[in-house]
Amino acid sequence: MVQERGKDWCCTQVADVEIRDLRKCFGNVTAVDSLSLTVERGEFVTLLGPSGSGKTTTLMMIAGFETPTSGDILIGGESVISKPPFKRNIGMVFQNYSLFPHMTVFENIAFPLRMRKLQESEIRKRVLKALELVRLPDYPFRYPRQLSGGQQQRVALGRALVFDPPILLMDEPLGALDKNLREYMQLEIKSIQRQLKITTIYVTHDQQEALTLSDRIAVMNQGRIEQIGTPQEVYEKPCNRFVAGFIGESNFLKGKIIDRIGETWLIKTDSHLPIQTPYIDSLGPGMEVFVTVRPERVFLLRGEDAVDDANHFEGLVEEVNYVGEIVKYRIRLEGGEALWIKKPNVTGLRKYEEGDSVAVGWKWEDTGVFVG
């Protein structure tokens, strides 16, 4: 990578990305539909969504491997729609690594530099720096088959960064790794991205991965962006039912708005349980809505204990799931609806068993309400 005098090597051509009204159709199927997005210089933005939401197709259009049906893509203020992939100067990391099996680690990382016809002395200097960056300084002469999955992914990352690209694109890069290694590599990728300050667009369907890595998350569904915001924003304040259901876990209860009480709406569920939610001026009495609350925001007490919150109900423990660091309870409420509740598995915290009578409750501020 380019070295400035007196400075450690880093990404010296960091650029912003602007996507304008991008659309991609495959026959009668619209994979990406009027998508617009701006990624600031040095920002880490994740495209998050289920399979078929258009996130990988969007990434491939930015890289130049797919041609948009309409719209524009600007990198550093310049349109790249008419440029082939090799002229966009973008670093790319794929899920399957795409390493050359007959080349050593050194040769794999050096490949993009040799394609650019750099001198051998410069190639050697840059490759060794890249190996240091991805923490593989002792592996230059090994072949991909001699490496673990995590080490192969590091080589792929080093190859994507070694020519100092202004943009780094990553398509499900950790999907083939086991859980522990995947979580470790998430921290490694974020550390390297922060060190280099390189503009990064990352694709995943893993919500936890997106929350861990991203400066902002664009939640995609059916070719469109449903919501874009910081991890805290999309988790704490989802804009609609899809985002609330896709990011993390949520309980949904169907009901109807009855009246306004101060700064809250009073909603009665289909079984006539009264629930208070934050007041939203776009809603009104008589509207059918879905009420949502995160499992970790629900209090869980013995049935004889009081719950001093706006929303509190009697219930019965119907199911107990032990999940290591947490315990999940399925509670059947007095009206017939069920809630999932998550509690940390810590010493001293009261445990419950199937058949226990309990009281549940949550603050009205922790309640979401969505139409449709």
Side-chain angles (χ1 to χ4, degrees):
M1 300 184 181
V2 177
Q3 268 191 298
E4 295 184 57
R5 189 171 299 174
K7 294 183 180 180
D8 289 336
W9 68 289
C10 65
C11 287
T12 57
Q13 339 174 43
V14 177
D16 60 331
V17 179
E18 185 178 357
I19 300 172
R20 296 178 179 174
D21 202 25
L22 202 63
R23 183 179 175 87
K24 177 63 178 179
C25 299
F26 297 97
N28 295 325
V29 177
T30 301
V32 176
D33 190 6
S34 302
L35 186 146
S36 295
L37 172 68
T38 298
V39 181
E40 303 295 339
R41 296 188 177 197
E43 191 176 24
F44 195 121
V45 171
T46 295
L47 305 181
L48 173 68
S51 298
S53 60
K55 54 191 187 296
T56 293
T57 301
T58 300
L59 203 75
M60 293 300 104
M61 287 190 284
I62 298 171
F65 299 127
E66 290 285 356
T67 302
T69 302
S70 61
D72 202 358
I73 300 169
L74 290 80
I75 296 179
E78 178 185 355
S79 175
V80 296
I81 284 291
S82 60
K83 288 187 176 183
F86 69 92
K87 287 192 176 180
R88 298 190 186 190
N89 204 34
I90 291 175
M92 187 86 190
V93 181
F94 300 94
Q95 179 176 346
N96 61 1
Y97 317 136
S98 298
L99 300 178
F100 299 112
H102 62 287
M103 291 184 180
T104 63
V105 167
F106 186 100
E107 291 166 338
N108 265 283
I109 296 177
F111 182 78
L113 301 178
R114 293 208 166 100
M115 293 295 292
R116 288 164 172 77
K117 302 186 185 305
L118 271 67
Q119 294 184 355
E120 284 300 316
S121 60
E122 181 67 14
I123 289 174
R124 176 177 173 77
K125 181 172 67 175
R126 293 194 186 197
V127 172
L128 293 180
K129 288 286 187 181
L131 286 169
E132 290 284 348
L133 178 71
V134 298
R135 302 188 186 186
L136 291 175
D138 301 325
Y139 291 77
F141 304 117
R142 294 198 185 185
Y143 288 87
R145 65 179 179 274
Q146 298 172 310
L147 304 177
S148 67
Q151 290 168 337
Q152 290 183 53
Q153 192 57 273
R154 289 169 186 267
V155 175
L157 182 58
R159 184 179 61 185
L161 294 171
V162 73
F163 59 92
D164 189 23
I167 308 291
L168 176 64
L169 306 181
M170 307 186 79
D171 185 20
E172 302 271 11
L174 308 181
L177 305 181
D178 63 62
K179 181 179 183 293
N180 289 340
L181 183 54
R182 185 167 68 246
E183 291 176 351
Y184 177 76
M185 284 300 299
Q186 289 170 11
L187 300 178
E188 287 291 291
I189 288 172
K190 187 59 180 175
S191 175
I192 291 170
Q193 189 271 338
R194 283 178 173 167
Q195 179 181 339
L196 299 182
K197 299 181 175 63
I198 185 171
T199 307
T200 302
I201 304 177
Y202 190 99
V203 161
T204 185
H205 64 272
D206 187 315
Q207 305 129 31
Q208 193 61 46
E209 191 166 279
L211 293 169
T212 299
L213 288 170
S214 313
D215 295 319
R216 287 190 300 152
I217 299 171
V219 184
M220 295 187 64
N221 182 36
Q222 297 182 340
R224 292 178 174 269
I225 293 177
E226 297 278 354
Q227 182 175 359
I228 183 164
T230 65
Q232 184 174 357
E233 286 170 347
V234 297
Y235 187 85
E236 300 288 351
K237 296 180 179 179
C239 68
N240 58 35
R241 187 182 173 192
F242 173 82
V243 177
F246 189 77
I247 300 287
E249 297 178 46
S250 292
N251 294 295
F252 290 97
L253 301 173
K254 189 178 179 183
K256 182 181 291 187
I257 298 177
I258 302 302
D259 198 5
R260 178 177 178 178
I261 302 177
E263 294 303 311
T264 72
W265 282 119
L266 173 62
I267 295 172
K268 283 197 175 179
T269 68
D270 288 353
S271 67
H272 303 290
L273 293 180
I275 296 177
Q276 285 183 254
T277 73
Y279 173 79
I280 301 172
D281 57 13
S282 61
L283 304 178
M287 295 182 67
E288 293 188 349
V289 295
F290 284 92
V291 174
T292 181
V293 60
R294 299 286 189 186
E296 68 272 15
R297 297 298 171 87
V298 183
F299 298 98
L300 178 60
L301 303 169
R302 292 289 184 192
E304 64 271 13
D305 295 329
V307 181
D308 188 20
D309 287 280
N311 303 307
H312 52 90
F313 311 101
E314 300 300 315
L316 198 70
V317 178
E318 193 172 65
E319 186 177 338
V320 180
N321 290 337
Y322 175 83
V323 197
E325 71 274 15
I326 64 169
V327 180
K328 298 177 69 175
Y329 299 96
R330 180 180 170 89
I331 310 298
R332 183 66 60 180
L333 300 181
E334 55 196 279
E337 294 98 340
L339 290 180
W340 279 105
I341 299 174
K342 293 196 299 187
K343 292 300 167 189
N345 183 23
V346 295
T347 302
L349 191 65
R350 183 183 290 173
K351 302 294 193 300
Y352 302 89
E353 298 179 355
E354 292 181 16
D356 283 350
S357 294
V358 293
V360 301
W362 63 91
K363 299 179 183 296
W364 63 262
E365 298 96 325
D366 290 332
T367 313
V369 54
F370 305 110
V371 178

